[in-house]
Amino acid sequence: MPHCRRCSNFSSKDDLYAQGNIQKLYSSADNGCSTCAILQRAVQGLLSRELPLDSEYVLWSSKISDRTDMLHPDDTKDWQVSLRVSGESPGPHGDIQIYALPEDPSPWDIVPLERHLPTATYSEESYAFATQALLQCLTSHKLCNNQTGDFLPLRLVDVGTSGASSVRVIETLGMDPTAAKYCALSHCWGPPETITTQLNDRTYEEYKKGIPVSALPKTFFDAVVFTRKLGQRYIWIDSLCIIQGNRDDWLTEGAKMCKIYENSLVTLSAASSSNGHGGLFYKYERLEIAGGTPQSSGQPYRVFARFAVNHRFFDFPLMNRAWVLQERLLSPRTLFFTSQELVWECRSCNVCQCSPILGGFTAQTAGFPVNSKLQPIEKHLEGSALVSKWHEVVEVYSQLKLTKGSDKLMAIDGIAQYMGPIRGSQVYAGLWTDSLASDLAWTVDTFDRNRSRALEWRAPTWSWASMDSEIRWLNKDQVLETESHFAVERWPEVNQSGEIQPWARTSPDACLRLRGVLVKTTLAEADIVVGSSPCYFGDSAEWSPLAGHTQDDEPFYCLRLLESKECFYSLVLRRAGFEGQNLYSRHGLLIFNGDPNRENDVWNSRDKTRTKWSRNLQKGYPQWWIGESIGVVNII
């Protein structure tokens, strides 16, 4: 058979690559190319028969091991064949995948052998997958079964029995926590007004009597159905178990988020839904394509086309919500409902329905996100590992979305509550007493030209929670092995979540008072580059100097923070308030990466663009580190 430029006849694993427009692909199929005909039917069946003929497509093969998704870092399958049509494939990847069944291989060696996925996340196969995963975890995973059994949320939703036409909100006072197991729901609200079924002071007594399931948003309805299918009687849903619009109830119950998710049986996660009406359940399209090859033998074939499964968690709407991070990390087990399949994650393993180890539930954690399940309190980690874990959590958390910026600390408080007993430490506005020096060494992405503090005050300037930007800790390993250069003279007064109340932010009780070496400087002096490493990391991209000064000559104060091997950190502070108040706000961070006993290539970032010959070798510490004057600063 002559070589086809439109599909390469599915001939070679190593170099299958073809591209062009849809019209030429269809013409080749009409002229008798059987593999172009397969692609044509896949496009028309999964995308649209009305696809513009000038649409571009790309066909290629790749090794599965080359994928960098979260669930398959080292698959047992060798190849995949993918087709992408520009502007038409849904989702962030949305490629069409061609495959055959292991018991019925195709005439083309390049076509991989794969198992079918269930056609819906509510199919009997999907229920069986979830039930088997839960049973396996409960009976075999010691790491996952550490709940104390002495906690129940104040309220739960009683889903009743299968087929019941209503559910009701119950108060759990007097119930036996060891007998009343409950699921939890993790979901995107979307616009609050779309969640029409909410517990509030007006509906409280009504909902205790009953709520018609037909009145529930689709996501709640699906969660009720699945809870019943799992054989469970209770589920915790935030808008039905916390009195909405009642601040006192919110503060009380919101502070229990750690225990609510930590003690749940399993959390049902509406990963692909962006609001309360998206639901948990989705159908998954699969197309069967059968025919015969044009060779004299006329060998029959049967292949299938489907959209490639997406495992990149942050492509799902729910995974971009800040509140959801602690719901995922604290729950001992989470069942993710994506638009294509179910994904199971617990403290011992993670597996999806398309996994090559489907049904085995062996640990498959390599390549999964660093911030997978938090481990039980009984599994003690070293202090540095706990500090590093918190930094990792904050770095991911700072990239996620919050509807209310005022929830910045509240939405991560559950994780802080979980880590507190392990660390034997207290948290202040997102920073810990046992790692304050390294915690203060946070920076923001200096390439983000929109980096700034929140317009509405929610945390002191020394806290990463004051920022509306991605947070980073540079030189992570060195930050954990450091010598502090300051002492804490006074901790601020905080509430039970480690927050400082906005009305007290400039009072002495709300300041972090530190004593240490304080060096006066200007940004014109401090903003140097050592080798290729900048020293100055400003918190905000745009800021106004004090009256009578420019950004270059305004006085700043560098408080020595910490040092490690060839790495020196200082906080950059500027005066706040009136003269004599001794109040300062954080402006940024200075980091010197170099050996002060050797000559380093140092240049000022405000100089003209350097050439490779304009070197300025200097030995010693930078000017902003040199000093012996001890000062006390109150940082607001």
Side-chain angles (χ1 to χ4, degrees):
M1 182 178 183
H3 177 75
C4 176
R5 295 173 55 191
R6 309 303 167 203
C7 65
S8 293
N9 307 107
F10 288 0
S11 59
S12 172
K13 290 182 179 180
D14 296 322
D15 58 3
L16 175 60
Y17 183 84
Q19 64 178 4
N21 64 44
I22 290 296
Q23 183 175 16
K24 292 181 179 179
L25 179 71
Y26 289 1
S27 296
S28 179
D30 294 340
N31 289 331
C33 177
S34 58
T35 44
C36 281
I38 290 174
L39 299 178
Q40 179 184 26
R41 291 183 60 186
V43 169
Q44 292 179 340
L46 293 179
L47 293 177
S48 170
R49 291 186 177 274
E50 306 301 323
L51 192 70
L53 295 179
D54 59 353
S55 300
E56 297 293 318
Y57 76 90
V58 179
L59 173 71
W60 77 98
S61 62
S62 59
K63 288 185 178 181
I64 301 293
S65 57
D66 290 340
R67 294 191 302 180
T68 56
D69 63 46
M70 294 180 174
L71 287 171
H72 294 113
D74 188 20
D75 275 342
T76 55
K77 298 173 288 185
D78 291 328
W79 296 90
Q80 67 179 6
V81 175
S82 303
L83 174 70
R84 179 178 300 171
V85 178
S86 61
E88 288 295 328
S89 298
H93 300 287
D95 302 325
I96 294 175
Q97 189 177 2
I98 308 295
Y99 69 99
L101 296 176
E103 62 270 20
D104 188 15
S106 77
W108 303 279
D109 291 339
I110 193 174
V111 175
L113 305 180
E114 311 228 9
R115 294 290 180 188
H116 284 324
L117 281 176
T119 54
T121 53
Y122 55 84
S123 66
E124 290 303 320
E125 293 173 273
S126 294
Y127 288 130
F129 171 88
T131 303
Q132 182 183 359
L134 178 60
L135 179 63
Q136 180 82 359
C137 183
L138 290 173
T139 57
S140 304
H141 297 168
K142 293 182 180 179
L143 198 60
C144 303
N145 293 290
N146 72 303
Q147 291 99 325
T148 58
D150 59 357
F151 173 83
L152 279 177
L154 178 61
R155 305 177 191 93
L156 288 170
V157 177
D158 182 348
V159 302
T161 56
S162 178
S165 61
S166 65
V167 299
R168 64 191 181 99
V169 176
I170 62 169
E171 296 172 347
T172 62
L173 186 65
M175 293 176 60
D176 180 4
T178 61
K181 301 298 182 184
Y182 64 93
C183 301
L185 177 64
S186 178
H187 69 105
C188 282
W189 273 56
E193 60 272 14
T194 64
I195 305 295
T196 54
T197 311
Q198 296 185 26
L199 186 70
N200 54 44
D201 293 326
R202 180 180 55 83
T203 61
Y204 196 96
E205 294 302 322
E206 176 190 349
Y207 284 9
K208 285 171 66 177
K209 296 175 184 177
I211 309 170
V213 293
S214 59
L216 296 174
K218 187 176 187 304
T219 301
F220 295 6
F221 179 87
D222 291 352
V224 167
V225 170
F226 209 88
T227 299
R228 291 172 175 174
K229 292 287 286 188
L230 289 177
Q232 302 304 314
R233 185 67 183 258
Y234 306 108
I235 186 170
W236 187 89
I237 301 175
D238 51 7
S239 64
L240 294 179
C241 296
I242 298 177
I243 303 175
Q244 304 301 303
N246 186 318
R247 179 171 174 79
D248 291 339
D249 196 66
W250 161 242
L251 291 176
T252 301
E253 296 306 299
K256 298 177 184 176
M257 289 295 186
C258 172
K259 288 187 175 181
I260 289 172
Y261 284 98
E262 181 186 357
N263 287 278
S264 65
L265 178 68
V266 60
T267 294
L268 309 180
S269 178
S272 290
S273 176
S274 58
N275 56 57
H277 298 287
L280 300 180
F281 301 148
Y282 295 87
K283 290 183 178 180
Y284 184 56
E285 292 185 87
R286 179 176 69 221
L287 183 68
E288 179 178 336
I289 304 170
T293 58
Q295 289 89 340
S296 57
S297 61
Q299 185 177 357
Y301 65 81
R302 187 172 67 134
V303 297
F304 299 86
R306 67 187 183 194
F307 288 114
V309 180
N310 178 17
H311 294 120
R312 301 178 188 274
F313 269 28
F314 295 106
D315 287 341
F316 301 124
L318 183 65
M319 307 318 297
N320 289 285
R321 306 305 304 174
W323 276 100
V324 172
L325 181 63
Q326 68 176 6
E327 296 169 7
R328 176 183 170 217
L329 299 193
L330 293 170
S331 302
R333 308 167 195 89
T334 303
L335 186 64
F336 296 96
F337 291 77
T338 79
S339 59
Q340 297 172 305
E341 62 172 350
L342 300 181
V343 179
W344 172 269
E345 179 188 35
C346 65
R347 289 174 178 151
S348 300
C349 75
N350 44 72
V351 66
C352 58
Q353 286 182 287
C354 76
S355 169
I357 55 171
L358 181 60
F361 294 106
T362 7
Q364 190 186 22
T365 53
F368 207 69
V370 174
N371 293 304
S372 54
K373 299 297 184 186
L374 294 177
Q375 300 304 311
I377 290 177
E378 288 77 8
K379 186 176 180 181
H380 289 285
L381 299 173
E382 295 181 359
S384 61
L386 290 169
V387 175
S388 178
K389 187 70 176 179
W390 178 255
H391 291 173
E392 291 168 359
V393 168
V394 171
E395 287 181 339
V396 173
Y397 177 74
S398 69
Q399 301 175 46
L400 306 180
K401 300 173 183 176
L402 270 173
T403 302
K404 297 180 180 179
S406 57
D407 289 342
K408 190 76 168 186
L409 288 170
M410 189 72 167
I412 200 174
D413 180 58
I415 300 175
Q417 288 183 39
Y418 188 92
M419 296 183 73
I422 308 175
R423 298 179 64 154
S425 179
Q426 185 175 351
V427 66
Y428 288 86
L431 285 72
W432 295 83
T433 55
D434 65 342
S435 59
L436 181 63
S438 56
D439 287 357
L440 282 169
W442 56 265
T443 63
V444 293
D445 181 3
T446 53
F447 292 102
D448 178 6
R449 295 185 178 182
N450 296 317
R451 67 187 188 277
S452 63
R453 281 198 165 76
L455 295 177
E456 184 179 351
W457 191 94
R458 62 178 179 230
T461 61
W462 45 266
S463 170
W464 54 264
S466 67
M467 302 299 300
D468 275 335
S469 306
E470 293 184 18
I471 303 300
R472 299 177 178 180
W473 273 267
L474 304 178
N475 309 312
K476 288 184 176 63
D477 295 338
Q478 294 189 37
V479 168
L480 298 177
E481 301 175 1
T482 57
E483 174 189 349
S484 299
H485 278 268
F486 66 90
V488 179
E489 289 209 340
R490 185 187 180 111
W491 294 96
E493 291 189 5
V494 295
N495 63 16
Q496 61 182 357
S497 298
E499 296 177 294
I500 297 170
Q501 300 304 327
W503 57 82
R505 60 183 181 267
T506 58
S507 73
D509 291 340
C511 297
L512 177 63
R513 185 179 298 169
L514 304 180
R515 175 185 290 272
V517 176
L518 200 62
V519 181
K520 188 175 181 180
T521 186
T522 64
L523 288 188
E525 294 176 342
D527 192 5
I528 61 174
V529 178
V530 180
S532 59
S533 300
C535 290
Y536 171 63
F537 296 87
D539 292 346
S540 299
E542 301 290 338
W543 58 278
S544 300
L546 297 177
H549 292 282
T550 67
Q551 289 189 353
D552 282 353
D553 67 14
E554 178 182 333
F556 282 87
Y557 301 86
C558 302
L559 179 71
R560 278 193 200 168
L561 189 61
L562 54 86
E563 72 171 280
S564 60
K565 184 180 180 182
E566 298 184 7
C567 202
F568 305 83
Y569 293 74
S570 285
L571 280 181
V572 181
L573 307 174
R574 65 189 305 208
R575 285 198 179 276
F578 299 105
E579 191 71 28
Q581 285 186 304
N582 200 30
L583 295 179
Y584 295 82
S585 62
R586 171 176 158 142
H587 189 75
L589 189 72
L590 286 164
I591 306 175
F592 174 69
N593 286 293
D595 183 351
N597 297 312
R598 296 187 308 181
E599 289 186 329
N600 295 289
D601 184 12
V602 179
W603 55 287
N604 194 293
S605 65
R606 285 158 169 74
D607 291 344
K608 294 179 180 179
T609 304
R610 300 189 316 158
T611 68
K612 62 182 179 179
W613 297 280
S614 59
R615 304 186 68 196
N616 181 19
L617 298 178
Q618 296 180 16
K619 182 184 289 188
Y621 298 97
Q623 291 298 313
W624 49 262
W625 183 267
I626 300 172
E628 297 181 356
S629 175
I630 302 296
V632 176
V633 292
N634 294 303
I635 312 176
I636 60 175

